[in-house]
Amino acid sequence: MAADWLGSLVSINCGPTLGVYQGEVSSVDQSSQTISLKQPFHNGVKCPVPEVTFSAIDIKELKILDIRHSNSKTCSSAAPKVGSAPVAIPKGDPRSVEKLNSPQHCSKSYGSSSSRGINQVTPKKNGVKNGQMKHRDDECFGDGLDEELDTDFDFEGNLALFDKAAVFSEIDTSERRNGARSRGTPQEQAPSRYRHDENILEAKPVVYRQITVPQPGAKEYCTDSGLVVPSISYDLHKRLLSAAERYGLSLERRLEMTGVCASQMALTLLGGPNRFTPKNLHQRPTVALLCGPHVQGAQGISCGRHLSNHEVEVILFLPNFVKMLDAVTNEVTLFTKTGGKQVSNIKDLPDTPVDLIINCLDCHENTFLMDQPWYRAAADWANLNRAPVLSLDPPVSGQSQAVEAKWSLSLCLPLPLAEGAGRVYLCDIGIPRQVFQEVGIKYHSPFGCKFVIPLHSP
């Protein structure tokens, strides 16, 4: 039946003169032996006319590209299944146009006119492979697909059938029956959100006063995390160091620890990693170190040694004394091995401002040093140099300080410092907790992961 071929896509070769035409079969006339194509393409170019009619005499070869039907059975001896490779029907073959209406066997085909456009009638290079895969799919899954799936799936309607509250209620009931923890239902209030730095695990409440002393000092400080750090008197400070020395924390160990912590703080004040790089060695910072002939001076010299080892230009001012502590002499010997500069006269200090001044002139016990000419000269030079000052282990409040500091570094626990001490920092010199307990101090380390921490006035 000629009507069964309507809508099929074919390619008609009319020889080198007329060329090749492709299009959709619009009519087949058996009596006149003609076939018409609508929306035809001639040699790959769309024709200006909507329909072209061919006579069987002019057709050299006919290829069936696609058989288009809608839920109908077609019968053909030459028609392949949908999606198979094109079949060539040369002229003179009994399956030519005049025999298209003489079927010998039947095959099922399904409409696909809505999924292809007329611009896709030319078969692709891999059409044979795709046709074979389609043929296999039809053999495996073709049964029972006589009807088209024209209706779209209603996702919203299907979701509305899902009773979310009932399902969560059933899950909650089941978990409670089994002793498991409930996930909660949508009606329950959502839990509060946590910050990135908060612990979601339940913990004991934080006790911010973890350090208590037998005799509270005149001042209290607090850390960045809110822990309270009380100050102690100088007498309690001396008893704490004496107890630590009995357990093996000698003066040399304390000097080394203090020097490391103070130098680390000084390196940070000088610029830290932004300044101390291999590409910046031509701009070495300069530090003036003012020291006296006492333990505080020895701590400063230890700090200067570490700074000099880190490519800092250190100028140590230490007057010539007839008698000095052995600790000071030992630290000076080590300092000279680093290549640092040592002067004993104020006139040898730089006239231009330096990057940092470390003040270690003051002593906790000997306040008469402030009357010495070298002390007054060094203090005047520091005040006129206009460089920031870091005081190392400054004296307690009540003792006058000739040099006003921007920062002060206290050891283990702070002393009640005067207002001229600037911003107070605290360093850990390694005293064990049991040593604190021996002198009556309930101690819990406030340092965390650091050895130097800032302190704030409450």
Side-chain angles (χ1 to χ4, degrees):
M1 292 180 293
D4 293 337
W5 296 98
L6 299 180
S8 300
L9 300 178
V10 298
S11 175
I12 298 175
N13 186 358
C14 298
T17 303
L18 297 179
V20 180
Y21 288 83
Q22 296 170 336
E24 181 180 346
V25 178
S26 58
S27 65
V28 178
D29 193 343
Q30 183 181 359
S31 60
S32 61
Q33 295 292 298
T34 60
I35 181 172
S36 298
L37 303 181
K38 65 179 180 180
Q39 299 180 354
F41 280 73
H42 180 219
N43 295 333
V45 180
K46 189 174 182 180
C47 298
V49 295
E51 191 176 63
V52 178
T53 302
F54 303 89
S55 176
I57 302 175
D58 299 327
I59 298 176
K60 305 298 183 184
E61 186 181 24
L62 186 145
K63 293 181 180 180
I64 301 174
L65 304 179
D66 193 6
I67 302 176
R68 294 187 176 182
H69 298 287
S70 177
N71 295 334
S72 62
K73 294 182 179 180
T74 62
C75 301
S76 173
S77 60
K81 294 183 179 180
V82 178
S84 62
V87 177
I89 305 179
K91 183 179 179 181
D93 190 88
R95 297 173 294 175
S96 58
V97 176
E98 58 268 62
K99 299 296 181 178
L100 286 177
N101 57 345
S102 301
Q104 295 179 0
H105 68 277
C106 296
S107 63
K108 293 182 180 181
S109 63
Y110 300 92
S112 58
S113 58
S114 61
S115 62
R116 280 196 178 184
I118 193 64
N119 294 333
Q120 296 176 319
V121 296
T122 304
K124 298 181 179 179
K125 294 181 180 180
N126 59 348
V128 176
K129 182 178 180 181
N130 292 339
Q132 293 176 353
M133 297 301 296
K134 180 64 177 177
H135 177 70
R136 295 177 182 177
D137 292 343
D138 290 341
E139 289 180 350
C140 295
F141 309 106
D143 292 340
L145 297 178
D146 294 339
E147 298 181 0
E148 291 186 0
L149 300 177
D150 293 334
T151 304
D152 294 335
F153 182 75
D154 188 3
F155 288 96
E156 295 183 0
N158 185 72
L159 184 60
L161 299 176
F162 175 64
D163 192 349
K164 187 175 181 181
V167 173
F168 272 98
S169 178
E170 182 180 353
I171 295 174
D172 182 59
T173 303
S174 176
E175 290 183 343
R176 290 181 184 275
R177 185 182 300 116
N178 297 330
R181 184 178 181 182
S182 174
R183 298 184 181 92
T185 62
Q187 288 77 14
E188 293 179 356
Q189 185 178 1
S192 58
R193 295 185 177 182
Y194 296 92
R195 299 196 312 268
H196 68 280
D197 58 343
E198 286 185 324
N199 190 356
I200 63 175
L201 301 178
E202 296 181 0
K204 297 181 181 179
V206 179
V207 178
Y208 290 99
R209 188 176 293 275
Q210 300 179 354
I211 302 175
T212 57
V213 295
Q215 297 177 354
K219 287 187 176 183
E220 282 189 343
Y221 303 90
C222 62
T223 65
D224 290 338
S225 57
L227 298 178
V228 177
V229 180
S231 63
I232 58 176
S233 63
Y234 180 66
D235 291 337
L236 183 58
H237 178 76
K238 288 193 301 181
R239 289 197 289 120
L240 177 62
L241 297 181
S242 177
E245 191 164 356
R246 289 198 307 269
Y247 283 100
L249 193 64
S250 61
L251 176 61
E252 288 76 14
R253 287 191 174 187
R254 300 200 305 270
L255 290 177
E256 189 68 17
M257 196 67 185
T258 303
V260 170
C261 292
S263 62
Q264 182 63 61
M265 180 177 176
L267 291 172
T268 303
L269 297 176
L270 291 171
N274 296 324
R275 186 167 186 179
F276 292 91
T277 62
K279 297 181 180 180
N280 201 29
L281 294 179
H282 62 287
Q283 295 179 342
R284 296 175 58 184
T286 302
V287 173
L289 190 60
L290 309 180
C291 297
H294 37 64
V295 174
Q296 282 70 30
Q299 293 172 348
I301 301 172
S302 175
C303 173
R305 170 167 53 88
H306 292 291
L307 290 177
S308 183
N309 287 335
H310 285 263
E311 303 299 330
V312 177
E313 186 177 350
V314 180
I315 303 176
L316 169 62
F317 168 75
L318 182 65
N320 291 324
F321 296 97
V322 177
K323 185 178 181 180
M324 279 196 255
L325 292 176
D326 293 338
V328 176
T329 304
N330 295 335
E331 291 296 332
V332 170
T333 303
L334 289 175
F335 173 79
T336 56
K337 303 300 181 182
T338 64
K341 182 179 179 181
Q342 180 184 357
V343 297
S344 58
N345 195 324
I346 295 298
K347 296 181 180 180
D348 296 328
L349 290 174
D351 296 332
T352 58
V354 295
D355 294 275
L356 180 66
I357 297 175
I358 299 179
N359 178 25
C360 301
L361 296 173
D362 298 295
C363 178
H364 292 291
E365 298 177 351
N366 189 359
T367 59
F368 299 101
L369 293 176
M370 300 182 63
D371 299 330
Q372 300 292 329
W374 63 266
Y375 183 100
R376 293 196 303 267
D380 293 340
W381 178 90
N383 292 327
L384 294 176
N385 191 264
R386 296 178 297 175
V389 178
L390 168 62
S391 290
L392 184 55
D393 194 14
V396 297
S397 177
Q399 298 184 15
S400 59
Q401 295 179 348
V403 180
E404 186 173 352
K406 187 175 182 178
W407 309 281
S408 291
L409 183 62
S410 295
L411 312 182
C412 61
L413 284 177
L415 299 173
L417 303 180
E419 295 296 332
R423 187 173 182 182
V424 181
Y425 284 77
L426 189 67
C427 75
D428 183 11
I429 60 175
I431 298 179
R433 181 184 299 182
Q434 292 184 358
V435 178
F436 285 96
Q437 295 177 356
E438 184 172 325
V439 296
I441 299 176
K442 181 183 177 182
Y443 181 81
H444 185 83
S445 176
F447 292 97
C449 63
K450 300 179 180 179
F451 282 87
V452 178
I453 58 174
L455 297 181
H456 311 278
S457 298

